[in-house]
């Protein structure tokens, strides 16, 4: 309890509070008020402030003094006067003598609060009919417990890993949001603006890195892989922009601790929020979304396993099906649910748990069957849950342990025919850990291992027969050791060795050593440097996505009958040079080979399950260049890529003949690709972004001719039946022709308005500003009197609007 | 028309308008070369061999010319037999517009006797322009019907009965394409309000791989018609044949590699169905397919009216 004594400014003692024994001497020193204080202290009755009026007056003043229990005047005590409803009318600090004076206060019940860090707060009331008041307050000390402060410091990476080089990049949430996009900010779409990354078309967010297949990109959410993180067959990624803190992309040369995919590493880190309530939401043409953040911080005297916990939960759903429901059945919707919890121990260790569930549904069962014969239900789903513990060990050492499950599944069935369905799923359990520790002042050693367990199954049935089917399970153990050492004169070495294994059903363990080496040479302190990386990368899983389709669903398989693992040997050398004014230029030369690529065998022998896949090889080589500016004013980057990606796959020949290998450009073989991305302030407080994307044409297979389709009948004389609505096509050599050059300009604008309740950010995106007709595919029609060629373009001119809100 | 259907059509129209914004301008393809296409089927029908060949051309320069060709089959002993040209109508179910020039060739009788299960045969197609296409195949092994036994033909099916047709393996077959030719369906389904096109109806089924030797009659027939109309009829057939004057013939056809590769859809292509050829040569493409067929006849009536197709008891649809 506080010792309190209050004296009316004009009428002497009128108010008292509770006085403890230890404060009595102090009160004696401040005059006659002590008597009453002591008396009331004996009575132990807390009383409210007494009121003495001093005649009518339109306003009044409150003044007084604050002292400590030993009589010292207390400076910088905040004195705030609150009126009715708790509104703060005025607030001042006490001066050097501990006194304060607040003028012109209204005649209404007032509450006066006295606060300063390290002192127990006090509160007084002054009635509506009181006149000027004099408040002398004694404030007692209080214990102020300060928790241990944990400071996490990251070792500064070399310049080409700071997010400013061509090989390793970091994208912030702001950069992702300001990139013009279709409906929603999309971190995976943003990856497509980086050098060495090819997005083959507008309608798919899938991407290819330096000649690698799209299934060779490891997309990790808080360290755990998502197999096919896309909605709408690849048009959008599954990542809710409200939950993305940052995106790290490595297009090559990643160290030995990373495995599982051969081509690139995209690490998406969830934002667990500020640790206090915050709600973010948004609406776009695609979906509505809401993210709620909170936290838990135990009191200082409360025993708790964790000293702080931050969490955030986000949900997103498309809404076209709901708002169109009164009018018609819109057959598609997608939904996401994502959560992250980060709990910190007093020791500084951290426990991170992430979960994601997302689903796309295309349900045509509600459509009247006489209008639409294709009554089908299809869905595909990503699910992931994982937990990771990061802690310290010794002096400067780090330990990480993790475990989780990720799953991708898809299904397709027809409402009217039970015997027709297809689908598949793959589960991946992942457990692992690592330890890193400095062994000398210059060298740090890191070692660890992981075990992945894969199970998968897929099938395609129709009319009582199985077109394709398979499944299996297997273990993929891996061990790694890597070092990071600083040499003299700007040299830095990162040698490493990864041992990848695979053992499947009734198979022997296969081990593949995957050495890695990165050498940095820095010139001076300005960040200029060279980087050479070489290494082997191993991948056990494959997606059998149909590359002929612009939008398709992945079908994942692991090594087994007829499916090998992929081995990629890669080398790259890069140079980076910062200039003044936030400018940086960097470039890389790269070459990679791929063995064990898998493609669908469209002529597979159904009697040989191993014949379902074609096993091929490939390579990619080229150069990346990046010119970037960061800083105030106009920011942006120009990314240029020259690349050649080719493949070699077996092709069927005459019966009994050996399969011959055919060399062909990869489907995404865009030789030249340029991306200019700008972020700049616009008028009236708006922020703008622009992206101009130019690329040479990607390959396609030319239809050289067409002829009537005649279906053979075996009964009734073995006649043929002409199919008038269909035709057959004679294709030229695969991927030997190219579409025209691609180019597109996108613009975006957004502005954040600060409101009483939070923030409101409307945004406008305009895709394909000048309506360039970029070719998605051609189709030739040889059935008419005159053969014609037409086709479809990618996205036309398309303005979209949306808004984001943040409640605090 | 129901109101939701109107809205659906409006939505479809809007979609079409949006897609129309994405459509490229139509261009004329100038002088595409015309290509000879030969489709040669070597068959063994319930033990009786024959061959049929359809020769036509792709659209383009030269397609206005004839589709004449010489089609020869060479047996295992090296003996070569030429298929005889016949009227095109003898090869076609229906008339084909004149812009599709085609010729038909047939072989039957003693001349075709070397076409037998398991035989390795070669085909040479010589176009009138001089181009030559060559290909070869191995005729699938012979097989026998297990259910119903071949001696039971014709056999009876009860209304609503589903018959699991079974047969032995045909060595080397890549797929079986059972075909049912049905008469009397329109009359039988009329009381049930199911619309059926008048006249006989032919439906196909599919059993992939040499080992899949079962198909359910009639539920699993019509798999290639499921998404292009006849929905009500095919849904009704999931529950068996209706009572009425229904009869027909089921033919189980064992297809070789070449027949399967030519007829299956080889991936997505917006310009048409790509096909994997087994006839190779200058200026042409085509297939030399070998099939072995077994058949039985059936009729629909109540049990007790004759030999039953199912060996014991009927499976209800």
């Amino acid at each position: 309890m506080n010792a309190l004594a209050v004296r009316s400014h004009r009428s002497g003692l009128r108010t008292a509070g509770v006085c403890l024994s230890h404060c009595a001497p102090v009160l004696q020193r401040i005059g006659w008020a002590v008597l009453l204080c002591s008396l009331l202290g004996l009575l132990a009755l807390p009383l409210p402030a007494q009121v003495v009026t001093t005649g009518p007056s339109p306003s009044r003043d409150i003044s007084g003094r604050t002292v400590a229990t030993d009589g010292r005047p207390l400076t910088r005590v905040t004195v705030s006067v609150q009126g009715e409803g708790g509104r703060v009318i005025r607030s001042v600090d006490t001066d050097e003598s501990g006194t304060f004076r607040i003028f012109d206060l209204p005649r209404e019940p007032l509450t006066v609060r006295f606060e300063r860090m390290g002192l127990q707060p006090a509160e007084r009331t002054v009635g509506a009919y009181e006149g000027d008041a004099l408040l002398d307050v004694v404030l007692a000390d209080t214990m102020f417990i300060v928790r241990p402060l944990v400071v996490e410091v990251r070792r500064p990476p070399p310049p080409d890993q700071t997010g400013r080089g061509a090989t390793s990049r970091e994208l912030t949430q702001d950069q992702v949001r300001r990139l013009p996009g279709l409906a929603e900010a999309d971190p995976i779409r943003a990856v497509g603006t980086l050098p060495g990354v090819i997005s083959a078309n507008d309608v798919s967010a899938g991407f290819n890195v330096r000649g690698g297949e799209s299934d060779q990109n490891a997309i990790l959410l808080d360290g755990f892989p998502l197999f096919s993180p896309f909605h709408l067959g690849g048009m959008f990624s599954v990542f809710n922009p409200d939950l993305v803190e940052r995106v790290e992309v490595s297009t090559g040369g990643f160290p030995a601790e990373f495995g599982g995919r051969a081509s690139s590493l995209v690490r998406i880190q969830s934002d667990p929020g500020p640790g206090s309530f915050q709600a973010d939401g948004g609406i776009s043409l695609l979906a509505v979304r809401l993210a709620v953040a909170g936290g838990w911080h135990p009191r200082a005297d409360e025993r708790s396993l964790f000293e702080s916990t931050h969490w955030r939960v986000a949900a997103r759903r498309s809404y076209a099906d709901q708002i169109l429901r009164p009018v018609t059945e819109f057959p598609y919707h997608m939904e996401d649910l994502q959560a992250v919890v980060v709990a910190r121990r007093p020791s500084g260790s951290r426990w991170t748990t992430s979960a994601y569930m997302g689903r796309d549904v295309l349900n045509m069962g509600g459509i009247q069957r006489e209008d639409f014969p294709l009554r089908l239900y299809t869905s595909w789903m990503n699910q992931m849950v994982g937990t990771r513990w990061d802690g310290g060990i010794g002096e400067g050492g780090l330990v990480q342990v993790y475990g989780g499950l990720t799953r991708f599944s898809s299904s397709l069935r027809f409402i009217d025919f039970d015997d027709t369905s297809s689908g598949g799923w793959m589960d991946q359990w992942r457990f692992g850990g690592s330890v890193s520790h400095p062994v000398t002042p210059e060298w740090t050693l890191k070692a660890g291992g992981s075990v992945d367990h894969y199970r998968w199954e897929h099938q395609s049935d129709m009319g009582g027969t199985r077109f394709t089917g398979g499944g299996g399970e297997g273990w993929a153990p891996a061990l790694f050791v890597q070092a990071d050492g600083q040499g003299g004169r700007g040299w830095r070495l990162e040698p490493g060795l990864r041992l990848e294994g695979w053992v499947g059903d009734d198979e022997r363990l296969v081990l593949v050593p995957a050495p890695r080496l990165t050498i940095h040479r820095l010139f001076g302190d300005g960040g200029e440097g060279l980087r050479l990386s070489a290494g082997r990368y191993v991948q056990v899983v494959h997606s059998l996505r149909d590359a002929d389709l612009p939008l398709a669903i992945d079908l994942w398989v692991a090594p087994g009958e007829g499916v090998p693992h992929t081995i990629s040997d890669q080398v790259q050398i890069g140079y980076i040079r910062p200039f003044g004014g936030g400018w940086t230029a960097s470039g890389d030369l790269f070459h990679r080979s791929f063995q064990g690529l898998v493609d669908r065998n469209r002529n597979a022998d159904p009697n040989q399950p191993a014949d379902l896949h074609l096993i091929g090889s490939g390579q990619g080589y080229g150069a990346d260049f990046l010119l970037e500016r960061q800083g105030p004013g106009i920011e942006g980057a120009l990314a240029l890529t020259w690349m050649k990606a080719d493949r070699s796959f077996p092709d069927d020949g005459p019966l009994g003949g050996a399969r011959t290998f055919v060399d062909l450009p990869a489907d995404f073989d865009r030789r030249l690709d340029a991306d200019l991305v700008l972020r700049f302030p616009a008028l009236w407080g708006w922020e703008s972004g622009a992206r101009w994307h130019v690329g040479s044409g990607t390959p396609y297979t030319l239809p050289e001719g067409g002829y009537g389709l005649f279906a053979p009948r075996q009964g009734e004389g073995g006649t043929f039946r002409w199919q008038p609505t269909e035709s057959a096509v004679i294709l030229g050599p695969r991927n030997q022709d190219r579409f025209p050059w691609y180019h597109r300009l996108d613009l975006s604008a957004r502005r954040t308005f600060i409101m009483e309740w939070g923030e409101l950010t409307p945004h406008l995106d305009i895709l394909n500003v000048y309506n360039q007709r970029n070719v998605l595919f051609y189709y030739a029609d040889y059935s008419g009197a005159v053969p014609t060629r037409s086709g479809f373009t990618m996205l036309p001119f398309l303005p979209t609007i949306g808004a984001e809100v943040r409640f605090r | 028309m129901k109101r939701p259907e109107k809205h659906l059509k409006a939505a479809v129209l809007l979609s079409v308008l949006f897609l129309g914004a994405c459509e490229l301008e139509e261009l004329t393809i100038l002088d595409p070369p015309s290509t000879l296409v030969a489709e040669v089927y070597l068959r063994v029908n319930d033990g009786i061999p024959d061959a049929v060949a359809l020769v036509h051309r792709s659209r383009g320069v030269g397609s206005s010319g004839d589709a004449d060709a010489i089609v020869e089959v060479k047996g295992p002993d090296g003996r070569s037999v030429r298929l005889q040209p016949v009227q095109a109508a003898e090869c076609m179910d229906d008339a084909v517009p004149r812009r599709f020039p085609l010729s038909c060739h047939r072989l039957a009788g003693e001349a075709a006797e070397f076409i037998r299960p398991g035989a390795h045969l070669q085909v040479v197609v010589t176009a009138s322009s001089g181009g030559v296409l060559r290909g070869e195949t191995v005729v699938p092994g012979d097989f026998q019907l297990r259910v119903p036994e071949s001696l039971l033909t014709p056999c009876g099916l009860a209304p609503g009965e589903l018959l699991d047709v079974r047969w032995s393996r045909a060595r080397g077959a890549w797929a079986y394409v059972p075909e049912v030719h049905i008469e009397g369906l329109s009359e039988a389904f009329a009381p049930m309000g199911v619309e059926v096109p008048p006249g006989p109806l032919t439906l196909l089924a599919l059993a992939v791989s040499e080992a899949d030797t079962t198909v359910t009659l009639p539920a699993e027939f019509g798999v290639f018609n499921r998404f292009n109309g006849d929905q009500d009829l095919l849904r009704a057939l999931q529950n068996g044949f209706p009572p009425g004057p229904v009869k027909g013939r089921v033919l189980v056809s064992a297809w070789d590699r070449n027949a399967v590769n030519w007829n299956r859809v080889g991936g997505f292509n917006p310009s048409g169905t790509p096909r994997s050829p087994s006839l190779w040569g200058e200026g042409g493409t085509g297939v030399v397919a070998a099939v072995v067929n077994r058949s039985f006849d059936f009729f629909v009536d109540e049990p007790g009216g004759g030999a039953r197709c199912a060996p014991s008891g009927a499976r209800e649809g």
Side-chain angles (χ1 to χ4, degrees), chain A residues 326-329 367-375 414 416-420 462-467 546 548-550 601-607 611 652-656 701 703-722 726-731 771 773-798, chain B residues 2 4-5 7-9 11 18-29 32-33 35 37 39 41 43 45 52 54 56-59 90-97 99-100 102 106 136-138 172-174 179 181 202 206-212 219-220 223-224 226-227 229 231-232 234-235 238 251 253 255 257 261-264 266-276 280 285 291 293:
Chain A
V327 180
T328 187
E329 288 281 343
I367 298 176
Q368 296 295 317
R369 65 171 64 114
E370 53 265 32
D371 291 328
F372 194 79
L374 206 64
R375 301 208 318 142
F414 289 86
D416 297 315
F417 302 99
D418 292 339
D419 61 5
T420 303
M462 186 169 81
T465 193
R466 174 151 293 186
F467 283 79
D546 189 344
D548 290 342
L549 296 170
N601 182 6
R602 295 186 171 83
N603 296 329
D605 181 351
N607 300 317
D611 197 46
D652 273 344
L655 181 68
T701 304
E704 293 182 334
Y707 54 92
L709 197 61
F710 300 95
R713 288 178 51 178
Q714 303 308 318
E716 303 305 310
T719 53
F720 292 88
R721 173 177 291 178
W722 179 47
E726 301 175 51
S727 63
V729 62
I730 300 172
L731 296 176
N771 196 28
R773 299 177 76 74
N774 296 304
V775 178
L776 180 63
F777 59 76
Y778 288 129
Y779 60 83
D781 182 2
Y782 289 94
S783 62
V786 179
T788 57
R789 190 196 73 185
S790 184
F792 270 92
T793 68
M794 299 186 205
L795 292 178
F797 170 78
L798 186 60
Chain B
K2 297 172 189 172
E5 292 167 13
H7 292 305
L8 176 66
K9 290 192 172 174
F18 179 79
L19 291 174
C22 296
E23 197 164 13
L24 283 171
E25 185 183 359
E26 190 174 272
L27 301 174
T28 300
I29 301 174
T35 300
V37 184
E39 303 185 42
Y41 284 82
R43 315 187 308 169
N45 295 303
V52 60
L54 184 70
H56 51 110
R57 302 193 71 94
S58 69
R59 304 299 312 282
E90 291 187 34
C91 284
M92 304 304 302
D93 270 2
D94 307 299
V96 178
R99 67 174 184 271
F100 294 98
L102 53 86
R106 281 189 177 276
E136 56 189 306
T137 185
V138 175
W174 276 33
E179 183 178 305
H181 187 76
T202 300
L206 186 64
V208 177
S209 84
E210 180 187 312
D212 188 353
E220 292 175 353
V223 290
F224 302 111
R226 286 180 173 181
F227 313 118
Q231 295 276 303
D232 288 339
L234 295 175
R235 252 193 316 276
Q238 300 293 299
L251 180 143
S253 183
W255 284 22
R257 162 193 186 264
N261 283 343
W262 183 253
N263 286 286
R264 71 178 167 191
F268 166 79
N269 193 291
S271 299
T273 305
R275 311 178 102 175
S276 293
W280 311 81
T285 186
V291 298
N293 302 326

